[in-house]
Amino acid sequence: MAAAAPTHAPVSSSACRSGFSSSDVSFPNFRSAAASAPGWRRREPYPAVSVVSSSPQSVPGAITVDTEVDTLLDSVKWDSKGLAVAIAQNVDTGAILMQGFANKEALAKTISTRKATFFSRSRSSLWTKGETSMNFINVHDIFLDCDHDSIIYLGKPDGPTCHTGAETCYYTSVYDALQSSKPNEGRQVMTTLYSLEDTISRRHEEKVTDGGGKPSWTKKLLLDNQLLCSKIREEAGELIQTLLENEDQSRAASEMADLLYHAMVLLRVKDVKMEQVLEVLRKRFSQSGIEEKASRNKS
């Protein structure tokens, strides 16, 4: 149990009627570090970098950049060793994947290749994440902070990021450690949405392993497809009514929360992760709705 109790979101009256309560799902007081929607646009690699062949007058593997990129690189506030913190973040989930350091050459190479590249302080050389494991981080955009002294690589990982095999290097909770709990490599730094998904998944595991006791509302939904479908229809109708009856924003948010929760239970039944849903949405950003519908498989 965490040393500090999480902050719980208010539960709507309709949620209480359905049996969905804060005792069933906890909402930790975490904030996503996800970047804004414009960072998710698809772009072709920027032709900024080339690796020149070695010669007596050049450093082996030297990197040259064009003037525009060079100006941007000069705007970064590199430290006394020519480095800046570089953080890799999942473009779909917002999860922080890893943290390393980058120098001018590493950032320039990342801009060009769209593969997250860092500077190894121990080897004093560039390294691209995945060059050995093939678990590359495919960069969709790059962000500098307001002071231009740290970098975010916003991208999609090809596989586990951590050398331990975990999806992210950040799975050790300080509060858990203070309670003498062992690190759990399956855990991630979860925002509200993924905490909800994790809780639903745990209820699904209990459904399989625990046959006794009074089931929670989530477990009831997982066990009864007809009940689940009827609740999704009901919550969708209540959300629609907030528009038709001009109800206030808090009511619309509450009904959307109910609908999202029940829809996520359905996704768990179908073994679909929210990350898959968000990836589909991201890929539609540069495509019109008409084109997207026409491209769907009708089978």
Side-chain angles (χ1 to χ4, degrees):
M1 180 179 294
T7 302
H8 295 283
V11 180
S12 69
S13 58
S14 60
C16 292
R17 289 197 302 272
S18 68
F20 170 41
S21 68
S22 58
S23 62
D24 199 21
V25 179
S26 295
F27 297 91
N29 189 21
F30 292 150
R31 294 195 179 196
S32 171
S36 59
W40 294 3
R41 293 193 298 270
R42 279 183 177 277
R43 300 185 183 90
E44 293 302 315
Y46 189 92
V49 179
S50 62
V51 179
V52 301
S53 58
S54 60
S55 68
Q57 289 77 33
S58 65
V59 178
I63 291 177
T64 59
V65 299
D66 68 18
T67 303
E68 185 178 354
V69 173
D70 196 44
T71 299
L72 182 144
L73 296 175
D74 285 339
S75 75
V76 178
K77 294 179 181 177
W78 309 103
D79 67 14
S80 59
K81 297 180 180 179
L83 302 176
V85 170
I87 298 166
Q89 181 179 12
N90 189 311
V91 66
D92 291 321
T93 68
I96 303 301
L97 300 173
M98 62 167 288
Q99 180 252 304
F101 292 88
N103 61 4
K104 282 187 177 182
E105 290 76 14
L107 180 54
K109 187 174 181 180
T110 302
I111 291 171
S112 177
T113 66
R114 290 194 170 274
K115 304 292 184 184
T117 301
F118 303 86
F119 180 82
S120 170
R121 295 177 297 172
S122 59
R123 300 193 300 268
S124 296
S125 62
L126 299 187
W127 67 279
T128 298
K129 173 61 185 172
E131 60 189 12
T132 302
S133 66
M134 304 308 292
N135 292 328
F136 295 99
I137 298 175
N138 304 291
V139 175
H140 289 254
D141 210 336
I142 301 170
F143 286 82
L144 301 175
D145 78 337
C146 56
D147 294 322
H148 279 215
D149 59 5
S150 65
I151 304 161
I152 288 180
Y153 293 153
L154 192 66
K156 186 73 172 179
D158 283 334
T161 297
C162 187
H163 71 281
T164 64
E167 289 187 36
T168 168
C169 295
Y170 293 91
Y171 53 78
T172 303
S173 163
V174 170
Y175 289 126
D176 285 352
L178 292 173
Q179 294 294 319
S180 300
S181 298
K182 293 183 178 179
N184 176 10
E185 292 183 9
R187 179 176 180 177
Q188 295 191 38
V189 179
M190 293 183 292
T191 54
T192 300
L193 187 67
Y194 292 98
S195 293
L196 174 56
E197 183 176 58
D198 180 67
T199 299
I200 293 171
S201 294
R202 285 190 279 109
R203 295 292 183 267
H204 185 267
E205 293 171 3
E206 294 168 5
K207 172 182 77 73
V208 175
T209 60
D210 183 12
K214 185 177 179 181
S216 67
W217 176 247
T218 301
K219 288 167 68 174
K220 285 183 179 180
L221 293 170
L222 290 165
L223 289 165
D224 191 335
N225 287 351
Q226 291 300 319
L227 174 62
L228 175 56
C229 290
S230 68
K231 289 302 300 181
I232 292 174
R233 293 189 189 98
E234 175 188 329
E235 300 300 348
E238 291 182 1
L239 178 61
I240 291 169
Q241 284 302 113
T242 65
L243 176 62
L244 297 179
E245 297 181 7
N246 196 29
E247 296 184 281
D248 61 26
Q249 291 179 340
S250 62
R251 182 66 176 173
S254 176
E255 296 301 342
M256 184 63 211
D258 291 342
L259 177 59
L260 181 60
Y261 157 71
H262 287 90
M264 288 178 68
V265 175
L266 184 148
L267 291 179
R268 184 62 190 86
V269 172
K270 297 292 293 181
D271 197 25
V272 175
K273 292 186 176 181
M274 278 302 300
E275 181 174 0
Q276 294 172 258
V277 176
L278 295 174
E279 182 176 10
V280 170
L281 288 173
R282 171 171 52 80
K283 290 179 176 179
R284 291 179 183 175
F285 285 167
S286 59
Q287 188 177 29
S288 75
I290 295 174
E291 291 174 344
E292 187 279 322
K293 287 185 178 180
S295 68
R296 290 186 190 181
N297 189 340
K298 300 296 184 180
S299 61

